[in-house]
Amino acid sequence: MATFDNTITNLTNFSDLYCPFQEDFKYILLPVSYSLVFVIGLALNTTALYVIVFRTKRWKPSTIYMFNLTMCDTLYILTLPFLIYYYADENDWPFSEPFCKIIRFLFYANLYGSILFLCCISLHRFVGICYPVRSLNWVSARQAKLVSVAVWACVLFCQAPILYFSRTRDVENERICYDTTSPELFDDFLVYSTAVSVLMFALPFMVVMVCYGLMVRKLLEPGWGSEGGSLGAQRTKQKSVKMIIIVLAVFMLCFLPFHLTRSLYYSFRYLRQVDSTQISCRLLEASSVAYKVTRPLASANSCVDPILYFLAGHDARSTLSKKKPSSSKSRRVGRTLTTEL
């Protein structure tokens, strides 16, 4: 009798801590959205790689950053078919645990690599527009290569713990490939995930916002790009400002909702484990649904990067090529910026 009572108590405690979710929607949402990202993103990024590798004679700093960003997006996209199959088969991982670790590692490494290279591109353009003379000494292809190596090293180092946290577990007749980690390691994973979100998303996001804000203010100055009263230069300047706003908006729409909802879900899950009375099952389920809905938004960024940044580069070149410097030094600055941005 005592054993039966203990069993009932354990089951009750388990149900208090772990809430059963109705998440059948993700078995349609994630495979469909990831499939669209795979098809569209692969076509756009392979085209971008072809143009950069085979059609670009001289690699400028912006070309180097764009190449690395495109590589991140392409490698990220190549992990999607395995996740499409996994979620379409309703969380039944058909491969080994080491392969689960590799897929999760590549997924997040290339996601955060894209964020950091977006930050590098933003900094590069910020320096070129706001400090055109100084940028002659600050920006070079060699420096861009060193920065790119540093970014890859940072990404690989910071994402290496994923290889430890990612696990598989057999539940009934299915094998789960955890997106986070096994329940017994979740507390440690929460600390790691929080640190990564701050270092590899929050800080780069703040840098991007500051850079674009200062760039917009600079471009909106009355004398910028309007020497000689050129109507075409003024229109191009306005178009450049709009492009900066669009890029910033896309960054916010793709990555910000994903990280906010994920942080909320992880926090609610932790609080639920500490004290089940703090967070209701309904609130925990709502945060989980929001997190899964925003995951395709983060993936969609790999489709937008080639389009927006090629357009932004074209706009910057058009704008600066129509400027009329009044001295030999300003002409040299204009020519450099026209080719570098």
Side-chain angles (χ1 to χ4, degrees):
M1 186 68 178
T3 302
F4 178 78
D5 291 339
N6 289 337
T7 302
I8 294 297
T9 301
N10 291 335
L11 289 174
T12 302
N13 291 336
F14 180 84
S15 62
D16 286 341
L17 293 175
Y18 301 101
C19 304
F21 292 165
Q22 296 295 328
E23 295 184 330
D24 292 344
F25 73 94
K26 74 177 183 180
Y27 302 133
I28 298 176
L29 173 67
L30 296 181
V32 171
S33 59
Y34 284 167
S35 297
L36 291 174
V37 171
F38 175 75
V39 174
I40 299 173
L42 187 62
L44 293 175
N45 282 280
T46 52
T47 301
L49 282 176
Y50 173 78
V51 172
I52 293 173
V53 174
F54 297 105
R55 297 295 183 181
T56 304
K57 296 181 179 180
R58 178 173 173 263
W59 282 35
K60 304 178 288 292
S62 58
T63 310
I64 294 171
Y65 291 134
M66 190 66 212
F67 170 77
N68 283 278
L69 174 62
T70 307
M71 284 297 301
C72 279
D73 288 338
T74 303
L75 292 173
Y76 172 85
I77 288 169
L78 293 177
T79 66
L80 293 180
F82 303 98
L83 297 178
I84 292 170
Y85 182 89
Y86 173 60
Y87 291 117
D89 202 26
E90 300 186 0
N91 282 18
D92 189 6
W93 184 252
F95 310 106
S96 63
E97 182 173 84
F99 195 67
C100 169
K101 293 176 179 289
I102 292 173
I103 291 298
R104 295 299 188 188
F105 169 77
L106 292 175
F107 184 88
Y108 286 108
N110 291 295
L111 176 67
Y112 285 108
S114 297
I115 292 175
L116 292 184
F117 280 113
L118 285 170
C119 183
C120 290
I121 292 172
S122 301
L123 281 170
H124 174 73
R125 291 180 174 170
F126 163 74
V127 171
I129 290 177
C130 295
Y131 302 97
V133 177
R134 295 180 184 179
S135 67
L136 295 176
N137 298 321
W138 291 353
V139 177
S140 69
R142 182 176 180 274
Q143 290 174 339
K145 291 177 182 178
L146 293 176
V147 171
S148 298
V149 171
V151 169
W152 280 110
C154 177
V155 168
L156 294 177
F157 176 78
C158 292
Q159 294 304 310
I162 290 290
L163 297 173
Y164 168 75
F165 284 116
S166 295
R167 304 289 175 93
T168 60
R169 174 165 295 178
D170 294 330
V171 179
E172 296 179 351
N173 295 324
E174 297 178 342
R175 171 173 292 180
I176 298 175
C177 174
Y178 285 109
D179 176 53
T180 53
T181 188
S182 54
E184 60 271 14
L185 295 176
F186 181 75
D187 291 355
D188 295 332
F189 178 81
L190 179 61
V191 175
Y192 162 73
S193 177
T194 302
V196 168
S197 296
V198 171
L199 293 176
M200 305 190 76
F201 168 69
L203 291 180
F205 180 62
M206 291 175 61
V207 170
V208 169
M209 288 193 66
V210 171
C211 287
Y212 281 138
L214 294 175
M215 288 165 62
V216 168
R217 188 178 68 176
K218 185 70 174 180
L219 292 172
L220 290 177
E221 290 180 357
W224 198 96
S226 59
E227 290 82 353
S230 173
L231 181 60
Q234 186 67 22
R235 290 177 177 175
T236 306
K237 183 181 71 171
Q238 294 175 355
K239 189 175 181 180
S240 298
V241 172
K242 292 179 181 179
M243 182 59 64
I244 290 172
I245 296 173
I246 292 173
V247 172
L248 184 58
V250 169
F251 195 97
M252 295 176 66
L253 291 174
C254 289
F255 293 124
L256 184 60
F258 170 78
H259 283 86
L260 285 179
T261 56
R262 187 178 68 169
S263 297
L264 284 175
Y265 169 59
Y266 288 176
S267 299
F268 289 164
R269 180 175 167 182
Y270 173 76
L271 292 174
R272 176 76 184 177
Q273 292 179 1
V274 173
D275 185 358
S276 60
T277 61
Q278 295 186 36
I279 303 296
S280 65
C281 281
R282 180 172 296 181
L283 182 59
L284 183 61
E285 182 175 7
S287 64
S288 176
V289 170
Y291 164 52
K292 290 176 175 61
V293 168
T294 57
R295 283 168 66 176
L297 294 178
S299 299
N301 182 74
S302 59
C303 298
V304 179
D305 286 340
I307 299 175
L308 284 179
Y309 276 91
F310 276 134
L311 288 177
H314 175 73
D315 287 343
R317 288 191 296 270
S318 299
T319 299
L320 294 167
S321 64
K322 292 182 179 180
K323 295 179 71 174
K324 298 180 180 179
S326 58
S327 66
S328 59
K329 185 174 182 179
S330 61
R331 283 196 296 271
R332 180 162 57 90
V333 172
R335 287 196 301 270
T336 302
L337 288 176
T338 300
T339 57
E340 293 297 328
L341 289 178

